[in-house]
Amino acid sequence: MNTPLNPHPTPLIAVSHLYKSVQDVSGQLDILRDIDFALAAHESLAIVGASGSGKSTLLSIMAGLDTPSQGTVVLAGQDMFALDEDARAALRARQIGFVFQSFQLLGHMTAIENVMLPLELSGQAHPRQAARDMLERVGLGQRLGHYPKVLSGGEQQRVALARAFVVKPSVLLADEPTGSLDHASGERIMDLMFDLNQELGTTLVLVTHDPKLAARCERAITIEAGCVL
């Protein structure tokens, strides 16, 4: 049974009456319908549901990468869709980290360069040392100069975790973070993700088909046909 999502008086992120519809050859397709919940700082939430239920679309809208047809997402007191694209990108860079099933590493960059990139883009001082420290934290201190193509899937996902957490985001959004990994690698990624979540006090929102991963979150919602059950 899912835990009811009671809005916190001062949520870090609030999703309010969110709808997403698109037009296809058969007419209007409703992807999300009246999604409404809030999360306080440091909470962890699993979003579960069948493929095609709207989970990844919801995550993309929460990141400000996609826009809703109706409704709002307020992050750290800021209505994301009251901002233009540049301001939304700047807010995302300050507040949000991402981990994807497909890793999304840049193949022409080494592990340390991939982790340095968000620090450099935000103008932070000493990006190489911060990236080195985070890669050592995830057990890749000996792989700093390796390119993604010579890293295993589990190692690539650890680089992706390091890249996401190195900026100390307020919110980490993870889309099937263990979906393409073998069981042992997936277990290690799960442990690392929740350890870093606790250490840095990040709010964690993850989309997953894995009931074991979902059970490690404090709260869960199930999406079916675009609605919260």
Side-chain angles (χ1 to χ4, degrees):
M1 180 179 296
N2 291 328
T3 304
L5 298 188
N6 297 318
H8 191 277
T10 54
L12 176 64
I13 187 165
V15 176
S16 300
H17 302 295
L18 203 68
Y19 291 79
K20 178 66 177 182
S21 301
V22 296
Q23 295 290 327
D24 65 10
V25 292
S26 61
Q28 180 171 294
L29 175 63
D30 295 323
I31 300 173
L32 297 173
R33 292 181 289 172
D34 201 20
I35 307 295
D36 195 84
F37 63 87
L39 285 169
H42 317 318
E43 285 194 279
S44 56
L45 170 70
I47 302 172
V48 298
S51 295
S53 60
K55 305 184 305 298
S56 293
T57 299
L58 174 57
L59 205 69
S60 183
I61 292 174
M62 290 175 69
L65 295 169
D66 194 1
T67 57
S69 302
Q70 184 179 328
T72 61
V73 176
V74 176
L75 173 61
Q78 177 66 63
D79 181 348
M80 295 186 74
F81 300 106
L83 304 173
D84 62 26
E85 289 189 15
D86 288 343
R88 196 157 61 239
L91 177 65
R92 186 164 53 242
R94 293 193 307 271
Q95 300 283 354
I96 298 176
F98 299 92
V99 179
F100 302 95
Q101 179 177 348
S102 56
F103 317 134
Q104 298 288 342
L105 301 178
L106 297 177
H108 65 285
M109 290 186 171
T110 62
I112 195 168
E113 288 168 344
N114 268 280
V115 178
M116 287 171 60
L117 184 60
L119 296 170
E120 292 175 325
L121 291 175
S122 63
Q124 294 192 36
H126 312 298
R128 180 169 292 274
Q129 186 59 52
R132 179 189 295 273
D133 291 345
M134 187 57 72
L135 283 166
E136 289 176 350
R137 173 64 186 81
V138 301
L140 292 176
Q142 303 303 313
R143 308 286 269 170
L144 304 179
H146 289 70
Y147 289 92
K149 65 182 179 181
V150 300
L151 299 174
S152 69
E155 288 173 330
Q156 289 185 63
Q157 194 61 301
R158 280 188 274 159
V159 174
L161 276 179
R163 181 183 59 189
F165 277 109
V166 75
V167 295
K168 299 181 179 178
S170 298
V171 179
L172 179 74
L173 304 177
D175 194 354
E176 297 286 0
T178 63
S180 60
L181 303 177
D182 61 66
H183 177 75
S185 296
E187 289 280 337
R188 182 164 191 184
I189 290 300
M190 285 169 54
D191 289 342
L192 276 170
M193 186 166 57
F194 282 96
D195 286 349
L196 288 167
N197 170 245
Q198 290 297 313
E199 288 174 20
L200 299 178
T202 303
T203 297
L204 174 63
V205 181
L206 63 90
V207 163
T208 183
H209 286 96
D210 185 344
K212 183 183 291 186
L213 184 53
R216 294 186 65 168
C217 292
E218 295 167 313
R219 301 159 70 181
I221 59 173
T222 299
I223 305 289
E224 183 174 303
C227 298
V228 175
L229 293 183

